[in-house]
Structures are given as structure tokens and as C-alpha cells.
Amino acid sequence: MPYEELKLSTPSPVLSWANHPLGSEETKMAKNVASLPFVFKHVALMPDVHLGKGALVGSVIATKEAIIPAAIGVDIGCGMVAIKTSFTADKLEGKLKKIRMDIEAAIPTGFNENKDVEKSVTNWQGWQDFKDLHRGVHSLQGKAMKQMGSLGGGNHFLEVCLDTENQVWLMLHSGSRNIGNNLAQCHINTAKELAKMAENRMSDPDLAYFVAGTSEFQAYWNDLQWAQNYASFNREVMMARFKRIIEKHLAGGKATKPLLEVNCHHNYAEKEVHFGEDVYVTRKGAVRAQEEDYGIIPGSMGAKSYIVKGKGCAHSFCSCSHGAGRLLSRNKAKNVYTLDDLIAQTKGVECRKDPDVLDEIPGAYKPIDEVMNNQSDLVEVVATLKQVVCVKG
């Protein structure tokens, strides 16, 4: 049995797929969540589990009649999209640097946004419902439109990868940008205010929740679904641009058809049926892995990544890990590693190699192979990828 039940003596058990014992802070976080009265069955921890805010990153929390906004976090709908192209590795020869420069010119990163709003963005159906979102974001529609089709910062990235058959894949990682962050903050604040008014003494104020059937729950659920749709479409807009750049360099600008396309969230909540009951499933740094579901599990920018297919494991609430998971915090990574280490660890990858991306050095992440070994009961590997170009947020 690849998972173990942690000895925590909490009202709901905690099942862990991690091959390392939790630290004291992580244990406390797992305990706090597993002690909430509305947790359904158990809490599932994925192999890449590590400290988060309120709940551990890499945790799957099924709940009845309640939802915790901070457990989903501020990057609502963060996730991945990948396409398998019809191109082979030989086509890339001598073009990697040019491709990277074109990607960086076409897709804004960090806090940047698009100068103009493209037609596909203007036509997105979601704008019709913008007026129904939390009043705290009503002045942000213009910014949200300009950021649609932008990457963001942190560990968000775009990569050109090769699989073991030398087929070219395009992959990117991004979420709901500033608008998702603002929506999350508005609702997290409301949940905390409600907890205070009810004199609800929480073990962690970040676990403040909404109860189903209340207007606050309904407002959050509505905004959550909107931001998740924004994040998914944001990835599609970027991928379309990314694909056109690759076609320019490898097919003389001729449009091609992807052989496979996968778009999945790994920071979100959905209504699902588990163990025969309707529940709200929060995946905080976890991917849905129902039978036949395709998922993406990226390594760091010098390691392998995996396209997987779910096995529908009931105990994990049909979920798997969303990546390798951090081993070192961003600050610690900057203190432990040097620029020379970054250059050595990203050898063979066309990417920025400067102090600003030092916190994303592969050594700051858990070994992806170990993470994959720990979830052989959750997913099967469809393709193993290695990046040759990486653009960081």
C-alpha cells in the first residue's frame, strides 16, 4: 500500500502518499485541517506535499456543506496546459535561442500585461458575468482583460520539451493572474470576519470557511468558478500564441493540428461524487486523476516532466501530485545556491540563467522520480518529457 495513515489522533484520518515524515509545522497544518467538523472521510496528502497557508500544498480536502477559501488559495485555477505537436527534435536544431526570444516578446511575464487586447480575449464569454463578481474587483475588468494571455511570476513557466520518442511538446503553467488573487483575498477576508463575528475560535484563522446555503458561500462559489474558467482560458490564449511561434520556426508559419492536448487545474474546488456522496473537493496543489483523466506533473526547469493518465484511486479522491514540490523556500534557495549552481543544473536548457531565477533552481525542488514512484497507484505515465527551452515568470 503506497500510502500510510498518519498517527495524528484527529477526528478525520490523514492519508499520506509522501515518502518523508512531515515536519512539525506541516504536521500542525495537517492536524488543523483534519480536525474541522465538515471534513469528509479523510484528508489525502500527495507525494509532493509541503507547507502552504492554512492547508498544505499537495492536499486534497473533501468537505460536506462547507468550503475554505484560503485552502484553495489566491492563485485560483492555477494549472497546466500541454500539447503534443507533430514536430520532431531535429526541426529545433539551431533555433532554440530565437524561439525563446520570440516567446518572451509575445507573452508577458511577471507583473507585465499585454499592450493590446486580442480578439479571442474580447470575445470570451466570461466578461458578460463580470458585473456579478465581488464588488471589490469591479474596477479591475480592464486589467483582467489585458492580463488574459500573460504568464505571471513565481514558478509559472513556458517550456518546449522533447519526449522519449523525440517528439516536440509545448507546456505552460499559469493561473488566474491578478483578478483571481483579488477575488480570493476579498472572500478570505469575508470568511475571517464571519468567524470573528461568530466568535469561532479557529486553530488557524486561515481556515475560516463558508457554510453551504449562505449568501457568502454562494457568492464565493460563483466567483471561484468564474476565476477557474478565466485561468483555463488564459492558458489557452497563451498556448495559441506559443503554438504560432513554434509553427513559424518549424513549419514556415503553417498551422498544424496537435496530436494531444491536456488542460488541467491544480488549485481549485469542484463538486464531485466520492464514496457515493456529493462533496466539495478542494485540490490545493493536486490534479484530478479519475480513470482516463489526462494530467500534467512537471518537474523543475532542469528535470523531467510527466504526462499521466489517472487510475481513479478512491482513497486519494481520484487525485495525484501537481509537480515535484518545493524542498527549499525561495529565500533559502537563494542562500544555499549560487549562479554557477544554476548554470550547472540547467545545462542543456535554453533559459535565463540570472540571479532573478535562482529561487527556481532544480535543487530547490524534490526529486521528481521519487514523487512519481510514490503515486504508481494514482496514475500511469503516458509520456516522459525533458525541456530544451524554458521561459520563467
PDB file of all heavy atoms in Angstrom, residues 350-388:
ATOM      1  N   GLU A 350      17.798  25.914 -22.806  1.00  0.00           N
ATOM      2  CA  GLU A 350      17.861  27.313 -23.244  1.00  0.00           C
ATOM      3  C   GLU A 350      16.923  28.109 -22.324  1.00  0.00           C
ATOM      4  O   GLU A 350      15.698  28.033 -22.436  1.00  0.00           O
ATOM      5  CB  GLU A 350      17.408  27.417 -24.706  1.00  0.00           C
ATOM      6  CG  GLU A 350      17.260  28.830 -25.246  1.00  0.00           C
ATOM      7  CD  GLU A 350      18.529  29.666 -25.136  1.00  0.00           C
ATOM      8  OE1 GLU A 350      19.609  29.211 -25.565  1.00  0.00           O
ATOM      9  OE2 GLU A 350      18.427  30.795 -24.610  1.00  0.00           O
ATOM     10  N   CYS A 351      17.500  28.819 -21.352  1.00  0.00           N
ATOM     11  CA  CYS A 351      16.698  29.569 -20.388  1.00  0.00           C
ATOM     12  C   CYS A 351      17.519  30.710 -19.810  1.00  0.00           C
ATOM     13  O   CYS A 351      18.731  30.763 -19.999  1.00  0.00           O
ATOM     14  CB  CYS A 351      16.216  28.659 -19.258  1.00  0.00           C
ATOM     15  SG  CYS A 351      17.556  27.969 -18.252  1.00  0.00           S
ATOM     16  N   ARG A 352      16.847  31.611 -19.095  1.00  0.00           N
ATOM     17  CA  ARG A 352      17.566  32.668 -18.382  1.00  0.00           C
ATOM     18  C   ARG A 352      18.413  32.021 -17.289  1.00  0.00           C
ATOM     19  O   ARG A 352      17.959  31.096 -16.611  1.00  0.00           O
ATOM     20  CB  ARG A 352      16.562  33.623 -17.725  1.00  0.00           C
ATOM     21  CG  ARG A 352      16.002  34.659 -18.655  1.00  0.00           C
ATOM     22  CD  ARG A 352      14.865  35.414 -18.004  1.00  0.00           C
ATOM     23  NE  ARG A 352      15.254  36.011 -16.724  1.00  0.00           N
ATOM     24  CZ  ARG A 352      14.377  36.318 -15.761  1.00  0.00           C
ATOM     25  NH1 ARG A 352      13.098  36.080 -15.934  1.00  0.00           N
ATOM     26  NH2 ARG A 352      14.798  36.867 -14.647  1.00  0.00           N
ATOM     27  N   LYS A 353      19.621  32.528 -17.106  1.00  0.00           N
ATOM     28  CA  LYS A 353      20.491  31.986 -16.056  1.00  0.00           C
ATOM     29  C   LYS A 353      21.028  33.184 -15.268  1.00  0.00           C
ATOM     30  O   LYS A 353      22.205  33.512 -15.336  1.00  0.00           O
ATOM     31  CB  LYS A 353      21.602  31.134 -16.669  1.00  0.00           C
ATOM     32  CG  LYS A 353      21.042  29.931 -17.471  1.00  0.00           C
ATOM     33  CD  LYS A 353      22.111  29.114 -18.159  1.00  0.00           C
ATOM     34  CE  LYS A 353      21.555  28.227 -19.262  1.00  0.00           C
ATOM     35  NZ  LYS A 353      21.173  26.892 -18.853  1.00  0.00           N
ATOM     36  N   ASP A 354      20.120  33.859 -14.569  1.00  0.00           N
ATOM     37  CA  ASP A 354      20.499  35.074 -13.837  1.00  0.00           C
ATOM     38  C   ASP A 354      19.978  35.006 -12.395  1.00  0.00           C
ATOM     39  O   ASP A 354      19.170  34.131 -12.073  1.00  0.00           O
ATOM     40  CB  ASP A 354      19.974  36.322 -14.576  1.00  0.00           C
ATOM     41  CG  ASP A 354      18.463  36.313 -14.731  1.00  0.00           C
ATOM     42  OD1 ASP A 354      17.762  36.185 -13.707  1.00  0.00           O
ATOM     43  OD2 ASP A 354      17.971  36.425 -15.870  1.00  0.00           O
ATOM     44  N   PRO A 355      20.419  35.933 -11.520  1.00  0.00           N
ATOM     45  CA  PRO A 355      20.032  35.866 -10.099  1.00  0.00           C
ATOM     46  C   PRO A 355      18.522  35.894  -9.860  1.00  0.00           C
ATOM     47  O   PRO A 355      18.037  35.378  -8.854  1.00  0.00           O
ATOM     48  CB  PRO A 355      20.702  37.105  -9.481  1.00  0.00           C
ATOM     49  CG  PRO A 355      21.803  37.473 -10.415  1.00  0.00           C
ATOM     50  CD  PRO A 355      21.344  37.063 -11.775  1.00  0.00           C
ATOM     51  N   ASP A 356      17.760  36.497 -10.788  1.00  0.00           N
ATOM     52  CA  ASP A 356      16.314  36.611 -10.592  1.00  0.00           C
ATOM     53  C   ASP A 356      15.574  35.282 -10.657  1.00  0.00           C
ATOM     54  O   ASP A 356      14.427  35.181 -10.204  1.00  0.00           O
ATOM     55  CB  ASP A 356      15.705  37.576 -11.623  1.00  0.00           C
ATOM     56  CG  ASP A 356      16.044  39.021 -11.289  1.00  0.00           C
ATOM     57  OD1 ASP A 356      16.496  39.261 -10.158  1.00  0.00           O
ATOM     58  OD2 ASP A 356      15.868  39.901 -12.159  1.00  0.00           O
ATOM     59  N   VAL A 357      16.199  34.256 -11.238  1.00  0.00           N
ATOM     60  CA  VAL A 357      15.527  32.948 -11.290  1.00  0.00           C
ATOM     61  C   VAL A 357      16.220  31.912 -10.401  1.00  0.00           C
ATOM     62  O   VAL A 357      15.909  30.730 -10.453  1.00  0.00           O
ATOM     63  CB  VAL A 357      15.397  32.407 -12.749  1.00  0.00           C
ATOM     64  CG1 VAL A 357      14.419  33.240 -13.554  1.00  0.00           C
ATOM     65  CG2 VAL A 357      16.740  32.342 -13.449  1.00  0.00           C
ATOM     66  N   LEU A 358      17.141  32.373  -9.552  1.00  0.00           N
ATOM     67  CA  LEU A 358      17.887  31.450  -8.683  1.00  0.00           C
ATOM     68  C   LEU A 358      16.968  30.666  -7.740  1.00  0.00           C
ATOM     69  O   LEU A 358      17.223  29.504  -7.422  1.00  0.00           O
ATOM     70  CB  LEU A 358      18.941  32.227  -7.884  1.00  0.00           C
ATOM     71  CG  LEU A 358      20.004  31.415  -7.141  1.00  0.00           C
ATOM     72  CD1 LEU A 358      20.732  30.448  -8.071  1.00  0.00           C
ATOM     73  CD2 LEU A 358      21.017  32.337  -6.465  1.00  0.00           C
ATOM     74  N   ASP A 359      15.853  31.306  -7.307  1.00  0.00           N
ATOM     75  CA  ASP A 359      14.931  30.619  -6.393  1.00  0.00           C
ATOM     76  C   ASP A 359      14.178  29.473  -7.071  1.00  0.00           C
ATOM     77  O   ASP A 359      13.526  28.663  -6.411  1.00  0.00           O
ATOM     78  CB  ASP A 359      13.941  31.603  -5.766  1.00  0.00           C
ATOM     79  CG  ASP A 359      13.168  32.409  -6.810  1.00  0.00           C
ATOM     80  OD1 ASP A 359      13.520  32.335  -8.002  1.00  0.00           O
ATOM     81  OD2 ASP A 359      12.214  33.110  -6.429  1.00  0.00           O
ATOM     82  N   GLU A 360      14.288  29.390  -8.416  1.00  0.00           N
ATOM     83  CA  GLU A 360      13.633  28.306  -9.156  1.00  0.00           C
ATOM     84  C   GLU A 360      14.631  27.224  -9.579  1.00  0.00           C
ATOM     85  O   GLU A 360      14.318  26.368 -10.403  1.00  0.00           O
ATOM     86  CB  GLU A 360      12.942  28.887 -10.404  1.00  0.00           C
ATOM     87  CG  GLU A 360      11.622  29.563 -10.101  1.00  0.00           C
ATOM     88  CD  GLU A 360      10.562  28.592  -9.589  1.00  0.00           C
ATOM     89  OE1 GLU A 360      10.350  27.560 -10.232  1.00  0.00           O
ATOM     90  OE2 GLU A 360       9.972  28.858  -8.531  1.00  0.00           O
ATOM     91  N   ILE A 361      15.828  27.242  -9.015  1.00  0.00           N
ATOM     92  CA  ILE A 361      16.857  26.247  -9.346  1.00  0.00           C
ATOM     93  C   ILE A 361      16.326  24.830  -9.075  1.00  0.00           C
ATOM     94  O   ILE A 361      15.599  24.605  -8.094  1.00  0.00           O
ATOM     95  CB  ILE A 361      18.153  26.531  -8.531  1.00  0.00           C
ATOM     96  CG1 ILE A 361      19.307  25.645  -9.004  1.00  0.00           C
ATOM     97  CG2 ILE A 361      17.923  26.378  -7.025  1.00  0.00           C
ATOM     98  CD1 ILE A 361      20.669  26.086  -8.450  1.00  0.00           C
ATOM     99  N   PRO A 362      16.635  23.853  -9.953  1.00  0.00           N
ATOM    100  CA  PRO A 362      16.129  22.493  -9.740  1.00  0.00           C
ATOM    101  C   PRO A 362      16.389  21.938  -8.335  1.00  0.00           C
ATOM    102  O   PRO A 362      15.551  21.232  -7.778  1.00  0.00           O
ATOM    103  CB  PRO A 362      16.876  21.688 -10.814  1.00  0.00           C
ATOM    104  CG  PRO A 362      17.079  22.687 -11.917  1.00  0.00           C
ATOM    105  CD  PRO A 362      17.319  23.999 -11.240  1.00  0.00           C
ATOM    106  N   GLY A 363      17.544  22.293  -7.741  1.00  0.00           N
ATOM    107  CA  GLY A 363      17.882  21.782  -6.408  1.00  0.00           C
ATOM    108  C   GLY A 363      16.934  22.237  -5.310  1.00  0.00           C
ATOM    109  O   GLY A 363      16.928  21.683  -4.206  1.00  0.00           O
ATOM    110  N   ALA A 364      16.094  23.258  -5.593  1.00  0.00           N
ATOM    111  CA  ALA A 364      15.122  23.738  -4.596  1.00  0.00           C
ATOM    112  C   ALA A 364      13.871  22.860  -4.556  1.00  0.00           C
ATOM    113  O   ALA A 364      12.989  23.058  -3.737  1.00  0.00           O
ATOM    114  CB  ALA A 364      14.733  25.177  -4.897  1.00  0.00           C
ATOM    115  N   TYR A 365      13.815  21.884  -5.484  1.00  0.00           N
ATOM    116  CA  TYR A 365      12.636  21.011  -5.586  1.00  0.00           C
ATOM    117  C   TYR A 365      12.965  19.567  -5.214  1.00  0.00           C
ATOM    118  O   TYR A 365      14.109  19.135  -5.303  1.00  0.00           O
ATOM    119  CB  TYR A 365      12.073  21.058  -7.018  1.00  0.00           C
ATOM    120  CG  TYR A 365      11.358  22.349  -7.317  1.00  0.00           C
ATOM    121  CD1 TYR A 365      12.053  23.473  -7.750  1.00  0.00           C
ATOM    122  CD2 TYR A 365       9.990  22.459  -7.138  1.00  0.00           C
ATOM    123  CE1 TYR A 365      11.402  24.679  -7.999  1.00  0.00           C
ATOM    124  CE2 TYR A 365       9.319  23.652  -7.391  1.00  0.00           C
ATOM    125  CZ  TYR A 365      10.032  24.753  -7.816  1.00  0.00           C
ATOM    126  OH  TYR A 365       9.373  25.939  -8.064  1.00  0.00           O
ATOM    127  N   LYS A 366      11.906  18.829  -4.838  1.00  0.00           N
ATOM    128  CA  LYS A 366      12.088  17.404  -4.537  1.00  0.00           C
ATOM    129  C   LYS A 366      12.407  16.657  -5.835  1.00  0.00           C
ATOM    130  O   LYS A 366      11.957  17.080  -6.911  1.00  0.00           O
ATOM    131  CB  LYS A 366      10.789  16.833  -3.944  1.00  0.00           C
ATOM    132  CG  LYS A 366      10.514  17.361  -2.555  1.00  0.00           C
ATOM    133  CD  LYS A 366       9.179  16.866  -2.031  1.00  0.00           C
ATOM    134  CE  LYS A 366       8.933  17.486  -0.668  1.00  0.00           C
ATOM    135  NZ  LYS A 366       7.552  17.646  -0.314  1.00  0.00           N
ATOM    136  N   PRO A 367      13.146  15.533  -5.741  1.00  0.00           N
ATOM    137  CA  PRO A 367      13.420  14.763  -6.965  1.00  0.00           C
ATOM    138  C   PRO A 367      12.104  14.222  -7.547  1.00  0.00           C
ATOM    139  O   PRO A 367      11.371  13.508  -6.858  1.00  0.00           O
ATOM    140  CB  PRO A 367      14.316  13.616  -6.468  1.00  0.00           C
ATOM    141  CG  PRO A 367      14.813  14.050  -5.121  1.00  0.00           C
ATOM    142  CD  PRO A 367      13.768  14.953  -4.551  1.00  0.00           C
ATOM    143  N   ILE A 368      11.821  14.581  -8.781  1.00  0.00           N
ATOM    144  CA  ILE A 368      10.538  14.225  -9.397  1.00  0.00           C
ATOM    145  C   ILE A 368      10.367  12.705  -9.524  1.00  0.00           C
ATOM    146  O   ILE A 368       9.261  12.185  -9.406  1.00  0.00           O
ATOM    147  CB  ILE A 368      10.352  14.939 -10.773  1.00  0.00           C
ATOM    148  CG1 ILE A 368       8.940  14.728 -11.356  1.00  0.00           C
ATOM    149  CG2 ILE A 368      11.409  14.520 -11.773  1.00  0.00           C
ATOM    150  CD1 ILE A 368       7.839  15.493 -10.716  1.00  0.00           C
ATOM    151  N   ASP A 369      11.479  11.960  -9.715  1.00  0.00           N
ATOM    152  CA  ASP A 369      11.364  10.497  -9.852  1.00  0.00           C
ATOM    153  C   ASP A 369      10.799   9.862  -8.584  1.00  0.00           C
ATOM    154  O   ASP A 369       9.973   8.952  -8.647  1.00  0.00           O
ATOM    155  CB  ASP A 369      12.736   9.866 -10.172  1.00  0.00           C
ATOM    156  CG  ASP A 369      13.229  10.305 -11.542  1.00  0.00           C
ATOM    157  OD1 ASP A 369      12.388  10.756 -12.327  1.00  0.00           O
ATOM    158  OD2 ASP A 369      14.436  10.206 -11.816  1.00  0.00           O
ATOM    159  N   GLU A 370      11.251  10.366  -7.425  1.00  0.00           N
ATOM    160  CA  GLU A 370      10.734   9.844  -6.147  1.00  0.00           C
ATOM    161  C   GLU A 370       9.241  10.126  -6.013  1.00  0.00           C
ATOM    162  O   GLU A 370       8.466   9.287  -5.575  1.00  0.00           O
ATOM    163  CB  GLU A 370      11.465  10.506  -4.971  1.00  0.00           C
ATOM    164  CG  GLU A 370      12.816   9.910  -4.658  1.00  0.00           C
ATOM    165  CD  GLU A 370      13.512  10.653  -3.513  1.00  0.00           C
ATOM    166  OE1 GLU A 370      12.803  11.177  -2.624  1.00  0.00           O
ATOM    167  OE2 GLU A 370      14.748  10.717  -3.542  1.00  0.00           O
ATOM    168  N   VAL A 371       8.871  11.343  -6.390  1.00  0.00           N
ATOM    169  CA  VAL A 371       7.461  11.744  -6.320  1.00  0.00           C
ATOM    170  C   VAL A 371       6.618  10.819  -7.202  1.00  0.00           C
ATOM    171  O   VAL A 371       5.538  10.372  -6.802  1.00  0.00           O
ATOM    172  CB  VAL A 371       7.309  13.230  -6.749  1.00  0.00           C
ATOM    173  CG1 VAL A 371       5.853  13.609  -6.949  1.00  0.00           C
ATOM    174  CG2 VAL A 371       7.947  14.152  -5.702  1.00  0.00           C
ATOM    175  N   MET A 372       7.115  10.495  -8.387  1.00  0.00           N
ATOM    176  CA  MET A 372       6.371   9.619  -9.308  1.00  0.00           C
ATOM    177  C   MET A 372       6.275   8.194  -8.762  1.00  0.00           C
ATOM    178  O   MET A 372       5.226   7.549  -8.863  1.00  0.00           O
ATOM    179  CB  MET A 372       7.023   9.618 -10.699  1.00  0.00           C
ATOM    180  CG  MET A 372       6.954  10.959 -11.410  1.00  0.00           C
ATOM    181  SD  MET A 372       5.294  11.682 -11.525  1.00  0.00           S
ATOM    182  CE  MET A 372       4.491  10.487 -12.602  1.00  0.00           C
ATOM    183  N   ASN A 373       7.373   7.692  -8.186  1.00  0.00           N
ATOM    184  CA  ASN A 373       7.341   6.331  -7.618  1.00  0.00           C
ATOM    185  C   ASN A 373       6.290   6.202  -6.541  1.00  0.00           C
ATOM    186  O   ASN A 373       5.698   5.138  -6.353  1.00  0.00           O
ATOM    187  CB  ASN A 373       8.713   5.960  -7.016  1.00  0.00           C
ATOM    188  CG  ASN A 373       9.752   5.756  -8.108  1.00  0.00           C
ATOM    189  OD1 ASN A 373       9.400   5.538  -9.262  1.00  0.00           O
ATOM    190  ND2 ASN A 373      11.027   5.845  -7.753  1.00  0.00           N
ATOM    191  N   ASN A 374       6.059   7.284  -5.816  1.00  0.00           N
ATOM    192  CA  ASN A 374       5.123   7.250  -4.701  1.00  0.00           C
ATOM    193  C   ASN A 374       3.662   7.314  -5.106  1.00  0.00           C
ATOM    194  O   ASN A 374       2.795   7.273  -4.245  1.00  0.00           O
ATOM    195  CB  ASN A 374       5.398   8.434  -3.760  1.00  0.00           C
ATOM    196  CG  ASN A 374       6.429   8.081  -2.729  1.00  0.00           C
ATOM    197  OD1 ASN A 374       7.430   7.471  -3.067  1.00  0.00           O
ATOM    198  ND2 ASN A 374       6.199   8.441  -1.496  1.00  0.00           N
ATOM    199  N   GLN A 375       3.409   7.484  -6.405  1.00  0.00           N
ATOM    200  CA  GLN A 375       1.997   7.562  -6.808  1.00  0.00           C
ATOM    201  C   GLN A 375       1.680   6.619  -7.965  1.00  0.00           C
ATOM    202  O   GLN A 375       0.821   6.901  -8.787  1.00  0.00           O
ATOM    203  CB  GLN A 375       1.618   9.006  -7.132  1.00  0.00           C
ATOM    204  CG  GLN A 375       2.488   9.719  -8.130  1.00  0.00           C
ATOM    205  CD  GLN A 375       2.122  11.193  -8.225  1.00  0.00           C
ATOM    206  OE1 GLN A 375       1.028  11.611  -7.874  1.00  0.00           O
ATOM    207  NE2 GLN A 375       3.049  11.994  -8.712  1.00  0.00           N
ATOM    208  N   SER A 376       2.377   5.479  -7.970  1.00  0.00           N
ATOM    209  CA  SER A 376       2.124   4.495  -9.036  1.00  0.00           C
ATOM    210  C   SER A 376       0.698   3.937  -8.961  1.00  0.00           C
ATOM    211  O   SER A 376       0.167   3.429  -9.944  1.00  0.00           O
ATOM    212  CB  SER A 376       3.140   3.356  -8.959  1.00  0.00           C
ATOM    213  OG  SER A 376       3.111   2.795  -7.663  1.00  0.00           O
ATOM    214  N   ASP A 377       0.067   4.053  -7.789  1.00  0.00           N
ATOM    215  CA  ASP A 377      -1.329   3.594  -7.658  1.00  0.00           C
ATOM    216  C   ASP A 377      -2.329   4.676  -8.076  1.00  0.00           C
ATOM    217  O   ASP A 377      -3.521   4.418  -8.190  1.00  0.00           O
ATOM    218  CB  ASP A 377      -1.624   3.170  -6.213  1.00  0.00           C
ATOM    219  CG  ASP A 377      -1.408   4.307  -5.214  1.00  0.00           C
ATOM    220  OD1 ASP A 377      -0.522   5.149  -5.477  1.00  0.00           O
ATOM    221  OD2 ASP A 377      -2.107   4.337  -4.184  1.00  0.00           O
ATOM    222  N   LEU A 378      -1.826   5.896  -8.307  1.00  0.00           N
ATOM    223  CA  LEU A 378      -2.717   7.016  -8.642  1.00  0.00           C
ATOM    224  C   LEU A 378      -2.760   7.303 -10.136  1.00  0.00           C
ATOM    225  O   LEU A 378      -3.797   7.694 -10.667  1.00  0.00           O
ATOM    226  CB  LEU A 378      -2.274   8.290  -7.904  1.00  0.00           C
ATOM    227  CG  LEU A 378      -2.108   8.191  -6.374  1.00  0.00           C
ATOM    228  CD1 LEU A 378      -1.721   9.550  -5.795  1.00  0.00           C
ATOM    229  CD2 LEU A 378      -3.384   7.671  -5.722  1.00  0.00           C
ATOM    230  N   VAL A 379      -1.595   7.135 -10.807  1.00  0.00           N
ATOM    231  CA  VAL A 379      -1.510   7.466 -12.238  1.00  0.00           C
ATOM    232  C   VAL A 379      -0.599   6.493 -12.988  1.00  0.00           C
ATOM    233  O   VAL A 379       0.263   5.863 -12.380  1.00  0.00           O
ATOM    234  CB  VAL A 379      -0.941   8.896 -12.477  1.00  0.00           C
ATOM    235  CG1 VAL A 379      -1.910   9.967 -12.051  1.00  0.00           C
ATOM    236  CG2 VAL A 379       0.408   9.093 -11.792  1.00  0.00           C
ATOM    237  N   GLU A 380      -0.817   6.432 -14.310  1.00  0.00           N
ATOM    238  CA  GLU A 380       0.164   5.742 -15.160  1.00  0.00           C
ATOM    239  C   GLU A 380       0.809   6.803 -16.051  1.00  0.00           C
ATOM    240  O   GLU A 380       0.164   7.790 -16.435  1.00  0.00           O
ATOM    241  CB  GLU A 380      -0.498   4.639 -15.995  1.00  0.00           C
ATOM    242  CG  GLU A 380      -1.543   5.138 -16.968  1.00  0.00           C
ATOM    243  CD  GLU A 380      -2.012   4.067 -17.943  1.00  0.00           C
ATOM    244  OE1 GLU A 380      -1.197   3.652 -18.796  1.00  0.00           O
ATOM    245  OE2 GLU A 380      -3.180   3.683 -17.852  1.00  0.00           O
ATOM    246  N   VAL A 381       2.071   6.615 -16.363  1.00  0.00           N
ATOM    247  CA  VAL A 381       2.803   7.592 -17.191  1.00  0.00           C
ATOM    248  C   VAL A 381       2.498   7.346 -18.670  1.00  0.00           C
ATOM    249  O   VAL A 381       2.620   6.229 -19.167  1.00  0.00           O
ATOM    250  CB  VAL A 381       4.322   7.501 -16.920  1.00  0.00           C
ATOM    251  CG1 VAL A 381       5.094   8.414 -17.878  1.00  0.00           C
ATOM    252  CG2 VAL A 381       4.628   7.877 -15.466  1.00  0.00           C
ATOM    253  N   VAL A 382       2.097   8.413 -19.354  1.00  0.00           N
ATOM    254  CA  VAL A 382       1.792   8.342 -20.782  1.00  0.00           C
ATOM    255  C   VAL A 382       3.002   8.819 -21.593  1.00  0.00           C
ATOM    256  O   VAL A 382       3.329   8.278 -22.633  1.00  0.00           O
ATOM    257  CB  VAL A 382       0.554   9.219 -21.110  1.00  0.00           C
ATOM    258  CG1 VAL A 382       0.303   9.298 -22.602  1.00  0.00           C
ATOM    259  CG2 VAL A 382      -0.673   8.702 -20.394  1.00  0.00           C
ATOM    260  N   ALA A 383       3.664   9.875 -21.075  1.00  0.00           N
ATOM    261  CA  ALA A 383       4.851  10.411 -21.769  1.00  0.00           C
ATOM    262  C   ALA A 383       5.793  11.034 -20.744  1.00  0.00           C
ATOM    263  O   ALA A 383       5.346  11.638 -19.768  1.00  0.00           O
ATOM    264  CB  ALA A 383       4.439  11.449 -22.806  1.00  0.00           C
ATOM    265  N   THR A 384       7.096  10.848 -20.990  1.00  0.00           N
ATOM    266  CA  THR A 384       8.131  11.460 -20.137  1.00  0.00           C
ATOM    267  C   THR A 384       8.812  12.551 -20.959  1.00  0.00           C
ATOM    268  O   THR A 384       9.304  12.286 -22.053  1.00  0.00           O
ATOM    269  CB  THR A 384       9.160  10.396 -19.691  1.00  0.00           C
ATOM    270  OG1 THR A 384       8.457   9.346 -19.017  1.00  0.00           O
ATOM    271  CG2 THR A 384      10.196  10.991 -18.752  1.00  0.00           C
ATOM    272  N   LEU A 385       8.799  13.788 -20.430  1.00  0.00           N
ATOM    273  CA  LEU A 385       9.306  14.926 -21.185  1.00  0.00           C
ATOM    274  C   LEU A 385      10.541  15.531 -20.528  1.00  0.00           C
ATOM    275  O   LEU A 385      10.695  15.488 -19.317  1.00  0.00           O
ATOM    276  CB  LEU A 385       8.242  16.036 -21.261  1.00  0.00           C
ATOM    277  CG  LEU A 385       6.810  15.647 -21.625  1.00  0.00           C
ATOM    278  CD1 LEU A 385       5.934  16.886 -21.694  1.00  0.00           C
ATOM    279  CD2 LEU A 385       6.755  14.908 -22.944  1.00  0.00           C
ATOM    280  N   LYS A 386      11.406  16.114 -21.363  1.00  0.00           N
ATOM    281  CA  LYS A 386      12.567  16.848 -20.859  1.00  0.00           C
ATOM    282  C   LYS A 386      12.611  18.173 -21.617  1.00  0.00           C
ATOM    283  O   LYS A 386      12.540  18.191 -22.842  1.00  0.00           O
ATOM    284  CB  LYS A 386      13.839  16.029 -21.097  1.00  0.00           C
ATOM    285  CG  LYS A 386      15.126  16.706 -20.626  1.00  0.00           C
ATOM    286  CD  LYS A 386      15.277  16.674 -19.111  1.00  0.00           C
ATOM    287  CE  LYS A 386      16.546  17.366 -18.645  1.00  0.00           C
ATOM    288  NZ  LYS A 386      16.556  18.804 -18.782  1.00  0.00           N
ATOM    289  N   GLN A 387      12.700  19.291 -20.880  1.00  0.00           N
ATOM    290  CA  GLN A 387      12.633  20.583 -21.557  1.00  0.00           C
ATOM    291  C   GLN A 387      13.962  20.945 -22.244  1.00  0.00           C
ATOM    292  O   GLN A 387      15.020  20.576 -21.777  1.00  0.00           O
ATOM    293  CB  GLN A 387      12.210  21.707 -20.585  1.00  0.00           C
ATOM    294  CG  GLN A 387      13.210  22.080 -19.528  1.00  0.00           C
ATOM    295  CD  GLN A 387      13.220  21.121 -18.363  1.00  0.00           C
ATOM    296  OE1 GLN A 387      13.859  20.089 -18.449  1.00  0.00           O
ATOM    297  NE2 GLN A 387      12.538  21.460 -17.295  1.00  0.00           N
ATOM    298  N   VAL A 388      13.822  21.674 -23.360  1.00  0.00           N
ATOM    299  CA  VAL A 388      15.001  22.194 -24.062  1.00  0.00           C
ATOM    300  C   VAL A 388      14.965  23.727 -24.084  1.00  0.00           C
ATOM    301  O   VAL A 388      15.976  24.375 -24.264  1.00  0.00           O
ATOM    302  CB  VAL A 388      15.124  21.633 -25.511  1.00  0.00           C
ATOM    303  CG1 VAL A 388      15.545  20.169 -25.467  1.00  0.00           C
ATOM    304  CG2 VAL A 388      13.837  21.811 -26.304  1.00  0.00           C
TER     305      VAL A 388
END
